[in-house]
Amino acid sequence: MSPSPHPGSTVPRQRREESRPQELLDAALELFVEKGFAATRAEEVARRAGVSKGTLYLYYPSKEELFKAVVRLNLGSLIAEGEELAGQFEGNTSALLAELLLTWWQRIGSTPAAGIHKIVLAEVRNFPELAQFYTDEVIIPADRLFSGAVQRGIDRGEFRPMPPHEVAHALMAPLIFMAVHRHSFGACPVHGGVDVDATSMVRTHLDLVLRGLEVRAEHGK
């Protein structure tokens, strides 16, 4: 009769199984950013994560579902956190917008997840299902978050009347541009370009936009 395994002997395996989805999503993000969505193969993701292709499909039955999971983990979850923050925030709206944008840059723009924007802009036209998914899971919720925050400032008399959806796009567009730049020109050994500190640029952008939104700016004060 075989000896019974030690009670703790399954712990490493259990930990491995619990962390496997995260390992697969990390590997997928790396490869999608490096090679693009179309050029990345499922077996490459499995190999980089150190598992078999069959194991990958146990968690994510297709490459499309894998990409969706990457987006939900990196973008969708942060938007949800932002909505929760906005619902509980007690300070002025300028401070809320600053916290939302700076957190976005720290968690997305300055990390490998920034490459998701490059993937979407470059390839989503060829994948209509993913275009609809990204619209539903990222674009609409992000617009709801930021336009809602702008409307909050207008309703509280902190901001002058402005179209909230257009302001939301104006807030996010430069950050997305910087994120795309990091994974395009920023990843190439080019010479003679203009170095811009990304965090300083985000703070400068915030200062410009928030001063433009303030009620006192309308009166030239």
Side-chain angles (χ1 to χ4, degrees):
M1 185 176 187
S2 303
S4 298
H6 187 277
S9 64
T10 60
V11 172
R13 175 175 291 181
Q14 290 172 346
R15 288 178 177 167
R16 169 67 173 165
E17 290 175 351
E18 291 169 359
S19 63
R20 189 164 287 152
Q22 182 67 56
E23 293 169 355
L24 287 166
L25 294 178
D26 289 344
L29 174 61
E30 290 175 3
L31 284 163
F32 286 146
V33 172
E34 289 172 17
K35 304 183 67 172
F37 176 77
T40 297
R41 295 181 299 163
E43 51 265 36
E44 292 176 305
V45 175
R47 185 164 54 248
R48 183 164 295 193
V51 302
S52 68
K53 185 177 177 181
T55 298
L56 168 62
Y57 284 137
L58 285 175
Y59 292 94
Y60 308 105
S62 68
K63 188 171 70 170
E64 287 76 13
E65 290 303 315
L66 182 62
F67 181 75
K68 290 177 182 180
V70 168
V71 170
R72 288 190 180 108
L73 175 67
N74 290 281
L75 301 183
S77 62
L78 185 58
I79 294 171
E81 288 179 30
E83 290 180 321
E84 183 176 355
L85 170 67
Q88 301 173 350
F89 200 79
E90 297 181 354
N92 65 57
T93 307
S94 289
L96 170 60
L97 287 174
E99 184 162 350
L100 289 173
L101 287 182
L102 289 170
T103 299
W104 184 93
W105 184 256
Q106 292 162 1
R107 296 266 297 276
I108 301 296
S110 63
T111 74
I116 294 173
H117 297 290
K118 185 193 75 170
I119 298 166
V120 171
L121 290 174
E123 301 191 61
V124 77
R125 183 175 178 178
N126 296 320
F127 300 94
E129 179 191 349
L130 293 183
Q132 187 62 59
F133 163 80
Y134 195 83
T135 297
D136 294 339
E137 298 275 341
V138 177
I139 295 176
I140 292 175
D143 175 76
R144 182 173 62 238
L145 171 60
F146 283 97
S147 64
V150 172
Q151 188 63 54
R152 175 189 191 267
I154 295 171
D155 294 343
R156 289 162 59 105
E158 298 168 356
F159 296 161
R160 59 197 178 99
M162 295 283 285
H165 296 286
E166 285 78 356
V167 173
H169 281 256
L171 280 165
M172 285 301 301
L175 275 69
I176 293 174
F177 171 81
M178 290 293 290
V180 172
H181 182 272
R182 288 189 68 243
H183 292 276
S184 53
F185 279 94
C188 297
V190 296
H191 301 284
V194 178
D195 287 332
V196 176
D197 179 77
T199 301
S200 176
M201 180 270 180
V202 173
R203 292 187 180 279
T204 301
H205 170 58
L206 266 171
D207 184 59
L208 289 170
V209 175
L210 294 178
R211 284 179 180 274
L213 284 170
E214 289 173 358
V215 171
R216 64 183 179 84
E218 188 176 26
H219 303 292
K221 296 180 181 178

